[in-house]
Amino acid sequence: FTTKYYVQLFNNQNIKDAFWNTMLIAGLSTLISTTLGILTALGLEYKKFSGRKIMQGLIYVPLVIPDILMGVSLALLFNFTRVTTGMFTVLIAHVTFCISYTVIVIQSRLEGFDYSLVEAAQDLGAKPSYIFWKIKFPLMMPGIVAAALLAFTLSIDDFIITFFTSGRGFDTLPIYVEGTIR
């Protein structure tokens, strides 16, 4: 048994850069997709919203289409709009597929929500902001944490969509490892 190869691994600057790029993309995409997921889930919570069915259909699209189709379509979109591929395009791609998962997880938490607590707070004269931050948000927190962890894991793991949207000069760890194997 030897740790010689682990020492070599941690001394390789290219691997360190790819690792930190992966963590940066995963962290930012988790933060953005979880925030947008909270807002979207809260917006879809109201049954009177006229575009609710269409919006829910759009949320499920990234879940059912293959990764390769999403990667190619995003690559074509970035090429058509003449956007230079790199960190920004990878971030957009990761937010695009992570937001669907966050919305679904947070929506599932909201479905089991006890609205009698909100109604009691309203009856006692609590302001809407107080009700949200002191009652609703803490009860949503397990769903928010689960959604964020899922988004982070999916973002770290993604190879295909990142491959099509990263361009030259910006490697995440899965892209770097694939490149060195090839």
Side-chain angles (χ1 to χ4, degrees):
F1 179 78
T2 179
T3 60
K4 174 175 91 173
Y5 297 108
Y6 289 102
V7 171
Q8 288 178 0
L9 176 72
F10 291 116
N11 287 331
N12 186 329
Q13 189 59 41
N14 291 333
I15 290 178
K16 284 187 208 176
D17 291 342
F19 174 77
W20 288 116
N21 286 343
T22 302
M23 291 297 119
L24 179 66
I25 291 294
L28 288 174
S29 67
T30 299
L31 183 68
I32 294 168
S33 63
T34 303
T35 303
L36 292 174
I38 292 168
L39 296 173
T40 305
L42 287 171
L44 291 173
E45 181 182 25
Y46 297 104
K47 310 288 187 222
K48 295 179 182 176
F49 174 52
S50 61
R52 187 171 190 268
K53 296 269 186 198
I54 294 169
M55 190 70 163
Q56 283 181 321
L58 289 173
I59 288 168
Y60 284 105
V61 168
L63 300 175
V64 296
I65 64 171
D67 283 352
I68 190 143
L69 181 62
M70 188 166 182
V72 169
S73 63
L74 285 169
L76 289 173
L77 173 71
F78 295 141
N79 188 27
F80 179 72
T81 57
R82 304 211 190 296
V83 174
T84 305
T85 54
M87 185 184 114
F88 181 67
T89 55
V90 172
L91 181 61
I92 289 172
H94 282 231
V95 169
T96 302
F97 74 83
C98 285
I99 193 170
S100 297
Y101 291 96
T102 60
V103 170
I104 290 169
V105 171
I106 294 169
Q107 267 186 324
S108 67
R109 180 66 181 167
L110 286 172
E111 284 187 17
F113 194 76
D114 184 13
Y115 284 96
S116 63
L117 297 172
V118 172
E119 292 169 0
Q122 288 172 338
D123 288 343
L124 293 171
K127 294 179 182 177
S129 62
Y130 183 85
I131 292 171
F132 179 77
W133 290 110
K134 295 294 183 178
I135 297 169
K136 200 166 188 177
F137 191 75
L139 292 174
M140 288 172 52
M141 191 53 79
I144 293 169
V145 170
L149 290 173
L150 181 61
F152 187 78
T153 304
L154 289 169
S155 183
I156 285 177
D157 183 53
D158 185 68
F159 170 77
I160 295 172
I161 295 172
T162 307
F163 179 76
F164 283 103
T165 59
S166 64
R168 293 180 185 252
F170 184 79
D171 288 335
T172 59
L173 193 57
I175 299 295
Y176 181 79
V177 168
E178 190 272 339
T180 56
I181 289 172
R182 192 173 287 271

